[in-house]
């Protein structure tokens, strides 16, 4: 945690409640891998690091538990949740459907400014491939897709997309670490999606392309996991 972040926590009155700040700080460490699966979250130590009391940290941990990023183990306490392959499978399958729909509904509302912003993010992702940083790549990936689905006029679908991304938050930092080769394909598929939107392709074409894009990452991850499982026997 940087001095700036700590000082921001200390001045919680200006930037939000201390509980909210503690929540953001701990979640960020889970997402970027600082707190890896199984890591024991010692409230007193975290509170000391952030310059706050234990109370807001406890509240933050409870929120993270509700989101599935943290779990409580008997005689251990709060730990970072591990990767559940089944949960990942179901979440990615669901997200491919709802994000595909959200992107298709958003498409007519995405203007040239938004397209340019998405393309700039994708260019950063392409630059990131040279010295691959999976955490940064994943953050940029979310930024890119946010541009495409945030214009969705259906708030219920949009809420489901956000829930899906939140559910994946604890493992998305490591997804591309497991399948770095998939990152190159992902960048190319992003450009293809942008071209479909620019050319005013029909909603079904855009939705199917977005779904295939999400499903391809899942397929790559599962193939890698199965390969690792087989090699262990």
């Amino acid at each position: 945690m940087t001095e700036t972040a700590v000082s921001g926590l200390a001045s919680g009155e200006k930037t939000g409640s201390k509980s909210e700040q503690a929540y953001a700080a701990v979640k960020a460490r889970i997402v970027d891998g600082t707190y890896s699966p199984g890591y024991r979250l010692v409230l007193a130590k975290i509170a000391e690091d952030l310059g706050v009391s234990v109370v807001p940290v406890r509240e933050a941990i409870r929120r993270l538990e509700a989101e599935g990023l943290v779990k409580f183990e008997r005689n251990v306490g709060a730990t970072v949740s591990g990767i559940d392959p089944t949960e990942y499978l179901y979440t990615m399958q669901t997200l491919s459907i709802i994000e595909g729909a959200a992107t298709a509904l958003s498409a007519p509302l995405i203007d040239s400014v938004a397209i340019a912003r998405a393309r700039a993010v994708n260019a950063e992702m392409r630059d990131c491939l040279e010295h691959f940083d999976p955490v940064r790549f994943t953050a940029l990936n979310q930024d890119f897709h946010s541009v495409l689905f945030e214009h969705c006029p259906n708030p219920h679908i949009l809420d489901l997309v956000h829930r899906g991304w939140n559910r994946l938050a604890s493992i998305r930092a490591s997804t591309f670490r497991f399948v770095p080769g998939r990152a190159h394909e992902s960048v190319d598929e992003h450009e293809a999606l942008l071209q479909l939107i620019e050319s005013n392709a029909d909603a079904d074409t855009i939705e199917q392309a977005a779904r295939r894009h999400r499903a391809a990452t899942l397929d790559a991850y599962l193939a890698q996991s199965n390969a690792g499982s087989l090699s262990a026997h």
Side-chain angles (χ1 to χ4, degrees), residues 124-200:
E124 287 188 61
M125 295 178 73
R126 195 177 296 280
D127 290 341
C128 189
L129 294 174
E130 186 173 350
H131 301 289
F132 192 55
D133 177 349
V135 174
R136 174 169 167 70
F137 188 89
T138 296
L140 289 169
N141 185 56
Q142 182 166 1
D143 289 344
F144 174 87
H145 283 287
S146 292
V147 176
L148 301 193
F149 65 66
E150 285 294 355
H151 291 77
C152 179
N154 186 318
H156 292 186
I157 292 178
L158 190 57
D159 178 63
L160 289 173
V161 175
H162 286 152
R163 286 172 182 267
W165 277 90
N166 285 337
R167 194 171 292 117
L168 290 173
S170 64
I171 56 178
R172 288 208 54 82
S174 60
T175 301
F176 286 105
R177 181 174 299 141
F178 292 133
V179 286
R182 171 67 193 140
H184 291 76
E185 299 170 355
S186 184
V187 170
D188 292 336
E189 291 165 12
H190 285 175
E191 177 57 31
L193 270 172
L194 292 177
Q195 290 180 14
L196 285 175
I197 294 171
E198 283 181 311
S199 64
N200 297 314

Side-chain angles (χ1 to χ4, degrees), residues 54-73:
V54 171
V55 174
V57 175
R58 182 180 295 112
E59 292 173 353
I61 295 300
R62 285 173 179 164
R63 283 183 62 184
L64 293 166
E65 181 189 17
E67 292 179 9
L69 301 183
V70 170
K71 63 180 180 179
F72 280 89
E73 297 183 34

Side-chain angles (χ1 to χ4, degrees), residues 86-99 168 211 214-215 218-219 222:
T86 302
E87 177 68 12
Y88 180 71
L89 169 64
Y90 292 159
T91 302
M92 284 290 279
Q93 286 177 336
T94 303
L95 194 55
S96 71
I97 296 170
I98 57 177
E99 190 177 339
L168 290 173
R211 288 179 64 172
R214 175 69 58 204
L218 172 61
D219 291 343
L222 293 177

Side-chain angles (χ1 to χ4, degrees), residues 15-36:
T15 57
S17 73
K18 291 183 178 179
S19 174
E20 183 69 29
Q21 293 293 318
Y23 164 81
V26 176
K27 184 173 183 177
R29 289 185 172 190
I30 292 175
V31 171
D32 70 17
T34 300
Y35 295 160
S36 58

